[in-house]
Amino acid sequence: MRYYPILSVILVILISSCSRPSYYQIANFEELTKSHQTIAVLPFEVYTYGKLPKDVTEEMLIKMEDLESTVLQAELHDGILESKFEDQGQFRVALQHYSETNLLLEKNGINVRESWTHSPEKLAETLGVDAVLLSRVEKEHYFSDGASAAIEIGEVLLSILSNDILVTGSAENKMLLGDYALVSHDGIILWQIGSDMILDWKYKTERCLSRMNSRSAKYFPY
């Protein structure tokens, strides 16, 4: 049985249509964040489940999820900065670079996957920031049995990330669920956005995840 840690506990699950994300921002956001100087974007929690090729082992899946965790983290970090630049808005806090975030976690004995199980308060203290942005993505796939023959680890990573495997059966055979939450150093959920997508095989998973990231970056507060 796979374990789904921190966001399943601290997040209010927000599910919406692809075109209209659910959104929450605490009423006194400006007051609570007026002293904030630095925030950090954490590695994503990433979970892939469903009918996977039979040669995809649990170890392969973990490696793929860990890789995608930091790829999505970097994309969201850059997306927030690009969004603020495009809007010509004043970003009144500093965004800790994701490479510094991950280096500090590593120096404190916390690898990518372990970061998913630590409290936001502990992570904020470790990183020396005022708030942390936690993100969780769940991906459910239904692959055909014919896609599972003799696949090496590199091919598994490529095929799952790019989603170039033709799936037979129902037209709707992929589900993406994304949740993003900004949590202060004292554990208060300041902001949250979530969305889900029901897709058919023609849509590439990473493109839809990028769309989720882009949309969340656009709505990011501060």
Side-chain angles (χ1 to χ4, degrees):
M1 179 179 295
R2 306 197 61 200
Y3 176 51
Y4 300 87
I6 195 166
L7 279 185
S8 61
V9 177
I10 71 164
L11 289 183
V12 178
I13 298 299
L14 298 174
I15 300 178
S16 72
S17 69
C18 175
S19 60
R20 186 179 178 84
S22 297
Y23 186 89
Y24 164 80
Q25 183 171 311
I26 197 166
N28 54 342
F29 180 87
E30 295 297 329
E31 179 183 350
L32 291 176
T33 62
K34 63 183 179 181
S35 63
H36 285 191
Q37 297 181 9
T38 309
I39 62 173
V41 178
L42 295 174
F44 275 54
E45 291 185 41
V46 180
Y47 303 103
T48 307
Y49 53 96
K51 186 177 180 182
L52 298 173
K54 63 182 180 181
D55 289 343
V56 177
T57 65
E58 184 73 9
E59 182 181 3
M60 291 176 180
L61 198 57
I62 288 173
K63 288 182 179 180
M64 183 273 293
E65 289 172 344
D66 288 354
L67 172 63
E68 197 165 12
S69 173
T70 54
V71 169
L72 291 171
Q73 174 196 19
E75 182 182 73
L76 180 58
H77 171 280
D78 293 346
I80 291 172
L81 293 180
E82 290 171 5
S83 178
K84 294 298 178 180
F85 177 78
E86 290 173 359
D87 292 342
Q88 296 182 342
Q90 294 296 319
F91 196 28
R92 61 181 177 84
V93 294
L95 195 60
Q96 187 178 81
H97 197 274
Y98 54 85
S99 60
E100 180 182 356
T101 297
N102 294 344
L103 181 60
L104 287 171
L105 291 174
E106 183 180 348
K107 285 184 176 180
N108 284 274
I110 304 173
N111 64 30
V112 168
R113 205 167 198 86
E114 290 169 343
S115 72
W116 305 352
T117 64
H118 287 264
S119 71
E121 298 95 318
K122 174 62 176 177
L123 293 169
E125 179 184 3
T126 300
L127 299 171
V129 296
D130 299 296
V132 290
L133 179 56
L134 300 97
S135 307
R136 174 189 177 97
V137 168
E138 295 183 28
K139 304 178 296 175
E140 184 168 9
H141 295 263
Y142 298 95
F143 292 94
S144 64
D145 291 337
S148 62
I151 306 176
E152 296 181 356
I153 180 62
E155 294 172 320
V156 172
L157 294 178
L158 179 62
S159 64
I160 294 178
L161 287 173
S162 65
N163 199 33
D164 281 333
I165 298 176
L166 178 62
V167 183
T168 60
S170 172
E172 293 184 347
N173 45 42
K174 289 180 291 186
M175 181 191 76
L176 298 180
L177 174 65
D179 281 297
Y180 303 77
L182 179 69
V183 185
S184 66
H185 62 89
D186 52 2
I188 298 174
I189 298 178
L190 302 169
W191 170 88
Q192 186 173 345
I193 191 169
S195 61
D196 69 344
M197 297 181 179
I198 305 298
L199 310 168
D200 65 35
W201 65 268
K202 293 179 292 184
Y203 293 90
K204 291 182 179 291
T205 301
E206 85 281 6
R207 189 173 300 168
C208 295
L209 289 174
S210 293
R211 183 179 175 186
M212 279 187 179
N213 266 351
S214 177
R215 183 168 54 197
S216 299
K218 178 180 178 181
Y219 286 101
F220 192 69
Y222 293 107

